Amino acid sequence: MKPEPLKICILENGLTPADLIDEFGSYPAMIERWISPFLPGAAFTYISPVRGEALPNLEAFDGYILSGSRYSTYEKAPWMLSLIDFLQALKEKRIAVFGICFGHQIMADAYGGQTTKAKNGWGVGAQVYEYVNGASPKAAASFIFHQDQVTTLPPGASCIGGSSHCTNGVLAYDFPAISVQFHPEFTTAYIQALATKFRGTLLPEEISNKALDSIESLEVDNSQIAHWAASFFRKHAYSIPVS
């Protein structure tokens, strides 16, 4: 019997700035464009906790991807608390979940760790991430845009990668969950647009200028992380065999 397509739900925790969405799309759309070439035939559904949409039945999907957000997990907004409950239930059911930026942070909070505002300030632009020996990803540059970090690891989590700016940058759990602080779904054009848009307002001039310089000097290839994440979902999916 032919296996059913892999069903992935992307949870939207943040919104693309209004003046950039026509050009770049929503965060779920960016995530689908990034990973879908590595999950041929997969069906993607978008649900938006940040907009107040109800979270789905846990077992309606083979796996979940959590987007980034401009919000901080320690704000403890009602939708965040509901998402934490949902993540704890996914752990109990051993349903695969992959977190990006805010998603990485709220997973850590849900599973017993802690996210705080980084003492070393904003990380923006491109930065090299290193990985522990034996981890599937290899050292490579990735796009970053954050001022919060996971500062206390949850029980059952291992740090398998990080950067000079963010030590706990990539986490793997002893249940089907992995997460990254960086943005594998971002393109060069989008991170440049963010660094330019927020220069002198949200971002200090110096931070924005350094970010733009880093994007010019470091080549980012997001395909390695897409392959890693896709392999993770294939391994833990209900509906298709491991290839």
Side-chain angles (χ1 to χ4, degrees):
M1 189 171 89
K2 187 176 179 179
E4 294 182 2
L6 186 65
K7 300 183 293 296
I8 301 293
C9 180
I10 303 176
L11 297 177
E12 182 182 47
N13 302 308
L15 305 176
T16 307
D19 58 336
L20 299 179
I21 195 165
D22 286 348
E23 182 177 357
F24 297 104
S26 69
Y27 291 133
M30 293 182 199
I31 291 168
E32 181 177 354
R33 285 197 299 268
W34 158 68
I35 199 172
S36 61
F38 298 85
L39 288 173
F44 293 88
T45 298
Y46 306 164
I47 292 175
S48 185
V50 72
R51 295 181 189 269
E53 292 180 2
L55 291 163
N57 179 284
L58 289 172
E59 297 178 357
F61 297 97
D62 297 299
Y64 293 84
I65 302 176
L66 277 66
S67 85
S69 178
R70 68 181 180 87
Y71 298 107
S72 297
T73 63
Y74 44 79
E75 294 174 27
K76 302 298 185 187
W79 67 269
M80 297 179 196
L81 298 177
S82 296
L83 183 55
I84 285 173
D85 289 343
F86 187 78
L87 287 166
Q88 291 170 346
L90 288 179
K91 176 184 176 181
E92 291 299 315
K93 291 286 187 178
R94 300 190 65 82
I95 298 173
V97 57
F98 179 87
I100 295 171
C101 198
F102 172 92
H104 167 81
Q105 295 162 4
I106 201 164
M107 284 171 62
D109 289 1
Y111 299 139
Q114 186 178 29
T115 298
T116 63
K117 187 169 290 187
K119 292 181 180 178
N120 54 351
W122 277 99
V124 184
Q127 193 164 66
V128 173
Y129 265 67
E130 303 280 352
Y131 296 86
V132 301
N133 290 336
S136 179
K138 304 303 179 186
S142 296
F143 291 128
I144 58 173
F145 196 100
H146 66 99
Q147 65 171 337
D148 294 338
Q149 293 191 24
V150 175
T151 48
T152 302
L153 290 183
S158 299
C159 178
I160 64 168
S163 70
S164 60
H165 180 263
C166 180
T167 302
N168 297 321
V170 184
L171 300 184
Y173 292 81
D174 59 2
F175 48 92
I178 54 177
S179 63
V180 297
Q181 177 57 66
F182 55 82
H183 283 277
E185 81 283 18
F186 282 5
T187 62
T188 300
Y190 185 64
I191 196 75
Q192 285 174 328
L194 289 178
T196 302
K197 172 182 173 62
F198 293 114
R199 180 167 50 194
T201 54
L202 181 67
L203 300 175
E205 290 269 356
E206 181 184 6
I207 295 294
S208 184
N209 291 337
K210 285 182 178 179
L212 292 167
D213 289 343
S214 72
I215 295 163
E216 293 293 329
S217 62
L218 290 172
E219 182 178 352
V220 173
D221 180 359
N222 288 320
S223 61
Q224 176 189 202
I225 301 302
H227 182 271
W228 177 57
S231 298
F232 165 77
F233 283 117
R234 284 195 298 270
K235 178 179 179 180
H236 295 288
Y238 295 150
S239 60
I240 62 172
V242 177
S243 58

